Every structure is written in structure tokens, then in C-alpha cells.
Amino acid sequence: MEKALSQLTQQAKYKLFMEKANIIVSSVFMDSPYRRSNDVEVRSNHSVGVGNDTPSTENVVNRKERKNISWLNDVEVGNSHRAHSNDEDEGPFDIPRAANAPTERLRRWRQAALVLNASRRFRYTLDLKKEEEKNRTSRKIRSHAENIRAALLFQQASGRARRIPLLVSLPSADFPAVLKNLDSMTREQNFGALQEYGGVNGLSELLKTNLEKGVPGYYSDLLKRRKAFGSNTYPRKKESFWRFVCQACQDITLMILMAAAVASLALGIKTEGRKDGWYDGGSLVFAVLLVILVRAISDYKQSLHFQKLYEEERNKHLEVVRGGRRVEISIYDVVVGDVVPLNIGDHVPADGTLISGHSLAIDESFMTGESKIVHKDAKEPFLMSGCKVADGSGTMLVTAVGINTDWGLLMANLLDDIGEETPLQVRLNAVATLIGFVGLIVAFAVLVALLVRYFTGHTKDQNGRTEFVAGKTNVGNAVDGAIKIVTVAVTIVVVAVPEGLPLVVTLNLAHSMKKMMADKALVRRLSACETMGSVTTICSDKTGTLTSNQMTVVEAYVGGRKTDPPDSSSELPDTLTSLLIESIAVNANGSVFTPEGGGEAEVSGSPTEKALLNWGMKLGMNFDAVRSSSSILHVFPFNSEKKRGGVAIRLPDSKVRIHWKGAAEIVLAACTWYVDANGETVAMDKEKVAFFEKTIQTTAAGSLRCVAIAYRSYESEKVPTNEEELARWTLPEDDLCFLAVVGIKDPCRPGVKESVQLCQRAGVKVRMVTGDNLKTARAIALECGILSSDADASEPNLIEGKVFRSLTDLQREEVAEKLSVMGRSSPNDKLLLVQALRRRGHVVAVTGDSTNDAPALHEANIGLAMGTHGTEVAKESSDIIILDDNFSAVVNVVGWGRSVYANIQKFIQFQLLVIVAALVINIVAAVSSGDIPLNAVQLLWVNLVMDPLGALALATEPPTDRLMHRPPVGRRDPLITNIIWRNLLIQAVYQVTVLLVLYFDGKNILHLEHESNEHANRVKNTMIFNAFVLCQIFNKFNARKPDEVNIFRGLGENYMFIGIVAITVILQAIVVEFLGKFAQTVQLSWQLWLVSIAIGFISWPLALLGKLMPVPRTHVNRLFSRWFYRRF
């Protein structure tokens, strides 16, 4: 066996080892936690060990379970504020949060819907079968990684641990390392193989990487690395255009029409010959193929839109160290050998090995299925791609990328499923089902009426002869006549069942998402677009959202007094300056890069870090020299719960110092000493405490962020020497010596006040939730317009986080309703606020950028993550990513959300009118005369005008200012409003009346008495068809503005609408004038064209008069319910 194995290639060995691992695990670890935990999708959204108020990782490990809970507790906005928790009390289409609903509930509404083409109708909903397959694949690949690890442990326990030899064969002459060795080393987490490479230092030499400066970063070097080790990408499965064509062909009615067309074609050729007999059947075949092609093109374009947005979402950006400087790159550009800094909330971009870390904890739940947080250190240095940094910080060396990682393998095997139910989509399926059932009844009535009249001899052809005479009409003609009748009935079903109505939501969302992308908003969930239209309150962060995030130190109090200017180091003693510079440099998560050839230094890090580092450089700081003069023992990363961060360092003389920085009043409370203007350490007395407190309050009242800096010396012998104990060491945070407090200016963004006022006019209350001092928050809120005056700047409008969290649930709800500003808040306070507001019936949007904001982002109806400074964990918990962190983009999203709802209503009004008019005209004509004015081909053309072309024209209307002067859309408000009913009834009565008058008395009205009966009928029917289509074209303009007098407002901005109307008019002229053989039309004179245009034009003044008619405030459904209750 050993001899046989030695003859195999390294790849074959690896595959064989994987198979053995699966056998070992299945036999030995059958009941292990690995298997049980694979059925749970774990989602750790925030760091560990930050405080009792923060939900623990275990409390949010099951994402699907949590979503189901939030769905049950969802409170909707509308006339009825109630929680939905009982499925039996609601209809199958009553799903307020369809994206989070249980699978059984989703399956239930699909079964209740009337669907002609399931593959097309449900294309952009969640594919339940594919979701199950996706979960199985995920579990399989996750267990794959665990199987290998478990097998390795099993072999090590039996004394037969497998070691990876250093092979001589090279993937490239440029690198003395083998790709197979690297990726399998990390995948198997083989510590022995890492030691054979010489540890991380030896491995970096083999990869030609400097652990401090990273790879050189030259294009040629990066190209060599991608050629040798692969790129950080994986193959994706793309859908071809022909798949959409196949899906469009699966419409049941189109299949019946195609079969009827083929039968009619065969019979026509048989009875009338090839020259003339193919027109009826051939024209129907052409019409069906045209419908299929147009639908396929529309669906394909939508798919391309979604794929582009999906790629944008997955294209994460991160920092790497190249050539000694931190540069931001796409995750797809990461190469083997890159040095990657890791911080809380980051994604691990590739497989790698830890270089250095401080309390680094990794959430590997996505890959392993376990909710346990894994601490990484020199003994367990391997990092897996796709995992999240739960706590601490560190740097890693990339050893495998792309398909050579378990994450890449997982992503390559999972289909890109962007399907997702939206509440509006489900509701429109209910509307489509109701209309469809009515259409089926009408179609059946038309079918029965026409068949009865035909076979009883009550129908005549265009020459006035009876079409069917029992015993005389041959079978072929009888069958042909019956096929035509069936064809008409089925075509009525095509028109009457609005298959495109639910799909217009997807079209609208695709267009809106594309436009929102231009407005710096990346939509991650389809339903988020429409939900934003119902938002009643926005809980916004201050820093970077309402403010510009361009921070500078403008005030400084050092040595117990104010320094003016703040960077004047000449007034400070050398001892104090040295301590300040040391504290700023070592207690920083950012960096300073100074080009070797000279030039301006580049500062990286968070905005606060950059402000402090810039201030330090003005004081004379040499960042690299200060950092290299001491060694870091332990780091306590800045924590949004404790509002401070610290670091312990060992100096060259073996002394230990601990530096702290953070919220000024919190750091001050821990200080018992301060350094005075002479550089002497003096005990902090009450007078000095009062001075510093007043200083902090004055600085905060000037809308400045107050940051305090302090330090303390520490006994070297008390520092843990064991690495594990050092990792768990809690930095002392008492008996500190106060060094300085600085005021950092972060000005409000331009235009933010106008955006806040726009929200207020739109019925959306903006609330500021910030971790800053309450006085700072108050000053910024007044500047932004969140607080209108000093009189509003008091409780309960203003509250501190610790006060809010101490209230009972009922008290929180009452305070939350009035609250405008919350200062010194923790992420848990934000979560409590969101929960309280939702219990009060609000639809809540909340912004967040930190890992600990994830629970609040997840709990809110809409989570808005910051794209520039937000962590990856926050982004993954969100529904929309604000790419530039600007509050104005949030307001734009609200406008687009309302536009989605408004555009759907416009299309409903337009489509219902077409359906009602077509059904009434055909059924009246069929019952009364046994004939119909609109034949199958003409109805299919009407279906094209109504469905894809109408949807494109009306679903692409941009948001208007008028939308932002209305209250939010209630998520249970009726889709068909009283205004729509009024417009619909007026236009339907007009169209039906005019066209039926033309049908029954058209010969006299059009002066066709002297024409032959056949020609007169064809002219009359052509006139009806032409007038009907032109009425719909004119009515598109009415549908643009259902409640506005000026229907042309903003028309010049919608080129899509203008283009589609122009194309429709041109095609209609072509159909009538040049395709008479196919559409069974005749050429119309210019006088009849003018009459047709006039009939359509009258709908404009008629709509204007209708808009002067008042409508009842109570919805017609409720009025009917009341009447029915009183009557019966």
C-alpha cells in the first residue's frame, strides 16, 4: 500500500487522504458536535467579552432562528398596528416580512397563487429547492474541513501523523515553495509542516515577503504570484440568454396557443393551400414567438442588472501592507505573500498564518458550523478564509487564495441565488390571482358562448354565410372553427391573467437598485427598497453620517491648562511631550508611512486615530522610531461598550507602561494623578477634577469630540510571562495619570440640515444615537436640525444611554416615542431603542458601522451599514450599504423606496384598465353576436403593450419631490387606492362605451354602409383595435400621475418612457398598415387615424375632470364591508 501511494501524484494522495478522512470521521465521530452543529447556520455579529449588556455570541448564533423570531414580532405600519404571530388568522398572501418567513409559509402562498408560468413568475423569489440544495452543499463543504482536521487528530493520536514533505518540484522558478504544500498546510492546520518551513519567518522568506513591509507591490511581482499560486477568485456559473427563452416558453397558455397555431396552420394549408392557408396559423406562431422573445429579453436584462449589483456587493475592499505602506485593494486582488492587518469585524480574505496578534479571536462558525470563538496565537496560527474577526487585532501572511481555500471551494459550488420574496411581491401575487380567476371565468364564458353559438348555427362569416351547418360543414372546417374559438379564449386568459404584475416589482427594484447605486447606496436585499418607503423613523449615527468624518484636533488641554495653538510643543516640558508622543504612537491602531524619497507622510486608520496621529506629528512625533523603541506586551482594542482602549508596552530599560485613551469623562474618572505644566506628576485634587470636568463640558458644548489620554507605570514582575495568561490579562485601568484632553472637530456634512428637514416634512423622524458626550450630541443635533431649538434640547428629547437602559420596557417605549438624541449610548442601547420603537408600531431604519451594531442592524426593519468605515460584520448584517457614509444618501433611499410603491400603483392602474376594457368588450360581443372584435394576434399585441412595454415605461419613473411631501406608505395600506378606483372606473366606462358603440354601430358611424360586408367588418374591427391600443398609449400618461393635474411634469427626465411610447406608436402603425395579413387588419385612411387618435386623446381631459372629483377617505373595501354588514 505504501509503495502504491508513493507512486501517486501529490494531488491524488490528497484526494485519497480526504476519502480516508471521511471514513474515519463517519465511523469514529458519528455523534460528534461536528455533525450536529452543521445543521445550524451560525452568525456571530459582535466581539466577545465586552460587557454584560451586550448580547453574547451564543445568543445570536442561529441566524435563521433569529429571523423567524423577528418575523413573528414584526409590527406593521398602517391603520392597524398589530403584531403578526398567528398564521391561521391570516391569508396565504399576508406575509409582512416574506424574506424572513418560515419555509412552510412561503410554500403556502406559492400554492395559493394562480400561475401560468411558475419558472418565470417565481424566478426572483426564493427557490426553496435550491435553498435546500445550497444548505446541503454548505454542510458538506463545512464538514469537509472538519473531517480533515479530525482525521489528522485521529492519526496523530495513533502515532501515524501525516507530514507534508518539502518537495523540490516548483510551480514557478520564482518561488521555492509548492502551492500544494501551502494550501494543504492551512487546510489541515498542520503545525508540523509550518515548523518545517521555519515558522512564519521562514515561510515569508520562501515567499519573498517582508513581514513588516509586505510584498513589494510591483505589477510584475503580483503577476508572478498570481501565476504561481492562483488569484483570489473562483469560477462562477452564469446563465445564458437561451435559458430565459426556455423559461418564457413554459407558459401554459403560450403552449396551448402554439399547439393551436400549429393545428390551424396544418388545417389552413390543407384546406386553402400553401399560398394562403398559412396566414392564420403562421401569424399566431409569429405572435407567440414575439411574446416569448420580448419576455426573455426583459428577464435577461433584469438578470444582468442583479448580477452586476451582486458582484458589487461581493467585491469587498480591505487594507494590505505593500512596500511598507497600507493600501486599499479589492479582495480579488489579494495574492499569496500579502501581509493583511486584521481588526474587529473584518473578514479573513484568504487562508493564511498569523504573524502577530493581540487577543485575536476568530469566529469560524461559517466554515465549521460551531459557535465557539477560536483564539489565535503562535500555537494555533492558522486562519481560514471567510471567517470573521470577533475580537482583538493582528496581522496575517496569506498562504492560499481563491479555489485553493475551503471558502473558495464553497463559493464555487454554491449557485448565485439572488431570489428573495418581498412583501409587495407577495401582495401583487394575491392581486394577480384574484384578477386571474376573474379572467378565467370570463374566458370560459366566452368559450362556452362562442362554441354554443357556433355549433347551433348562430354565427356567420364575414360574407354573411352561416359558419356551421349540421351535416353539411365538413369536419376540417368545423375543427378549424373550434380551434379558432379555443385560441381566442386562451388568448383572453393570456391578457386577463396578469403574469407580469408580480414581475414588475422585480423590474422596478432592478431599476431602483441601479439608480441607488449611483446615489451611493448598495442594496443587499430586494425587499429593503420597498420597505424604505414605509420607514417612519431613522436612528442615525453621528460620526461620519451626519458629520463629514474629517477630524482635526482644534483644542488641547495639556499640563493642566489650555495650549493655544493646540500643536504648540514649545510651551510644554520635554517630559510631558515625550509621554504624549509615546502614548499617541503606541496606543494607535493606525499607521504613518513616510516615503523614502521624502514627501508628505501618509496617515492611515480611523478618523479619530488619524486626527490624533496628525496632532502627534505636529508635536514632533517620529512614529516608526517611537514604535520601535518599545515592545508591545498586550493590547486592549477600543471598545464601544467601555469607550476606551489601552496598550501595555515594555521600554528598553525593562520598565512597563500602560497607556489609555478614550471618552474624556470616563478616562478622567479613572485618574488619580496628572502631569502639570512643569512636567511634574501631581495628585488629582477636587479642584483640578472640577477644572477638567468643566473643560470637557465646555469643549463638548462646542460640538467637539473629547478624547482624554492617560498612562500609568506598572510593576514588571506583575506582568504575566506565560503567553496564554498574557492573552487573558486584563490591563489595569485605575490609578491613572492624566496627560491631556483634546477637542476634535468633525463638522456637519454640507446639506445634512436640508436632508433632515426633508425627512421631517416626509413624516420621517430622525433620531441621533451616538457614543459621544451628550453635550456634543446636543450641539451637533442643533446644528443638523434634529433639535429645532434650545427648548427642545432637554429630556425626554435628550437622554443618556445608561439612563435609557435602566428604564422598564413600558417606560422605554414612552421615552423612545419622544426621544430625538441619545448620547453616550452603547450598541445595546441602540438595540433597545429599535425594539421599543418597533413595539410602538414604527418601521425603523438604523445606521451602524461597528461589529457591535450588528444586532441593532439585524433587528431593525432596515439596517443601513456604512460602506467607508463600516466593518464587514456590520455590512453583512445590513440590508443596504451607504457607500459614502452620507446621510443624504439615506434620504435618497427613502425617496426611491416610496417611488417603488408609487410606480407599482401606476402600473396596476394601467394594467387593470387594459384588462377590464378587453374583457368587457370581448364578453359582451361574444354573448351578443357570437364574434369578438379583438382576435388572438391582436390580443397578444395588446399583451405586449400592457405587460413588458408598459412595465418598462411606468416602473422606471424616478422619485419626485411630491413623494417626499407625503406621509410614509403604510405596509398594510391597500395597493388599489380610492384614487386608482376612481381613475379606473372613469376610463374603463369611457373606453368600453366608445368601443362597443363602434362595434355595434361602427358601419354607420364610419360611413361604411356602401362597402362590402367583409371589408366593412374588417375596417370596423381594425378601427376598434387601433382605437383601443391608442387609448392605452394615452392612458400611460394618465397613469404617470394618478393624483396630479399636470401629467407631463418630469416627462423630459424619463427618456425610457418617451422611447417606449414612441416605439409603441411606430409598431402599432406598422401592424395596422403593413401587417394586415398577420394581424387581420386593413389599412386605415388618415381620417380614421385622426378619429382613433381623438378617441385616445379624450382620455386626457376626462382624467383631468375625474381628478376634480373628491374620493372618500375610507377605503372602498371598508365602505363595502360596512354596507354588507348593515344589509345582511
Side-chain angles (χ1 to χ4, degrees), residues 1016-1064:
N1017 281 331
R1018 295 193 67 177
V1019 171
K1020 179 190 70 175
N1021 288 341
T1022 301
M1023 182 68 183
I1024 292 172
F1025 167 61
N1026 198 40
F1028 180 74
V1029 173
L1030 289 176
C1031 278
Q1032 311 321 317
I1033 293 173
F1034 278 94
N1035 193 55
K1036 276 184 185 177
F1037 291 85
N1038 291 330
R1040 285 188 68 244
K1041 306 291 181 182
D1043 57 348
E1044 293 184 42
V1045 174
N1046 185 3
I1047 60 175
F1048 302 107
R1049 180 181 295 170
L1051 183 62
E1053 300 174 5
N1054 193 345
Y1055 301 110
M1056 179 73 76
F1057 184 92
I1058 297 172
I1060 288 175
V1061 169
I1063 291 171
T1064 307

Side-chain angles (χ1 to χ4, degrees), residues 230-239 307 310-311 314 332 401-416:
S231 62
N232 201 28
T233 57
Y234 41 86
R236 298 180 182 85
K237 301 176 182 178
K238 295 184 178 180
E239 295 178 306
Q307 287 296 334
Y310 188 62
E311 285 299 318
R314 294 166 74 168
Y332 300 132
V401 294
I403 200 67
N404 299 308
T405 67
D406 284 323
W407 171 260
L409 184 65
L410 173 64
M411 299 307 293
N413 281 275
L414 294 181
L415 295 173
D416 292 346

Side-chain angles (χ1 to χ4, degrees), residues 75-82 534 536 841-843 968-974 1118:
V75 180
E76 302 307 314
V77 170
N79 294 321
S80 173
H81 294 164
R82 59 190 177 91
S534 302
T536 60
H842 286 281
V843 177
V969 179
R971 295 174 71 188
R972 291 191 171 277
D973 285 355
R1118 296 188 180 93

Side-chain angles (χ1 to χ4, degrees), residues 312 314-319 328-331 872 875:
E312 189 67 32
R314 294 166 74 168
N315 185 16
K316 299 176 172 53
H317 286 78
L318 68 151
E319 284 189 341
E328 185 177 286
I329 63 170
S330 165
I331 192 172
E872 290 301 325
K875 292 175 186 177

Side-chain angles (χ1 to χ4, degrees), residues 826-837:
S826 68
N828 192 52
D829 296 331
K830 185 185 288 188
L831 175 62
L832 293 173
L833 176 62
V834 171
Q835 291 171 338
L837 289 170

Side-chain angles (χ1 to χ4, degrees), residues 862-1000:
I862 295 292
L864 302 160
M866 300 299 104
T868 305
H869 296 99
T871 65
E872 290 301 325
V873 171
K875 292 175 186 177
E876 285 201 351
S877 299
S878 68
D879 305 293
I880 298 174
I881 299 174
I882 306 301
L883 298 176
D884 63 352
D885 297 3
N886 196 334
F887 184 78
S888 298
V890 178
V891 180
N892 290 337
V893 172
V894 174
W896 278 108
R898 296 188 177 191
S899 176
V900 167
Y901 196 90
N903 288 346
I904 296 301
Q905 290 183 314
K906 295 172 187 177
F907 183 70
I908 289 175
Q909 176 179 314
F910 172 74
Q911 191 171 46
L912 279 181
L913 177 58
V914 178
I915 292 172
V916 169
L919 291 182
V920 173
I921 291 168
N922 276 336
I923 193 170
V924 172
V927 172
S928 61
S929 65
D931 193 13
I932 58 172
L934 301 174
N935 60 45
V937 175
Q938 292 170 357
L939 284 173
L940 285 175
W941 169 238
V942 169
N943 179 260
L944 280 179
V945 172
M946 174 187 70
D947 194 346
L949 295 179
L952 277 172
L954 294 172
T956 54
E957 281 284 323
T960 61
D961 294 338
R962 188 182 178 91
L963 289 175
M964 295 302 288
H965 289 81
R966 300 175 181 174
V969 179
R971 295 174 71 188
R972 291 191 171 277
D973 285 355
L975 285 172
I976 307 177
T977 63
N978 289 351
I979 291 176
I980 293 177
W981 279 121
R982 178 197 64 192
N983 299 341
L984 174 64
L985 290 175
I986 291 173
Q987 295 293 336
V989 169
Y990 165 70
Q991 289 187 22
V992 169
T993 302
V994 171
L995 297 178
L996 284 179
V997 168
L998 279 176
Y999 179 74
F1000 287 110

Side-chain angles (χ1 to χ4, degrees), residues 449-489:
L450 291 180
L451 286 175
V452 169
R453 293 185 67 90
Y454 178 78
F455 286 109
T456 56
H458 288 81
T459 58
K460 299 180 183 297
D461 61 17
Q462 294 178 349
N463 295 315
R465 295 190 298 268
T466 302
E467 289 187 309
F468 179 83
V469 179
K472 295 183 179 181
T473 303
N474 62 52
V475 176
N477 289 336
V479 172
D480 188 40
I483 287 175
K484 290 180 179 178
I485 292 172
V486 172
T487 300
V488 169

Side-chain angles (χ1 to χ4, degrees), residues 60-73:
V60 289
V61 295
N62 193 330
R63 178 187 181 189
K64 291 183 179 178
E65 181 180 340
R66 173 136 189 185
K67 282 194 170 185
N68 291 343
I69 292 172
S70 64
W71 171 76
L72 291 172
N73 293 328

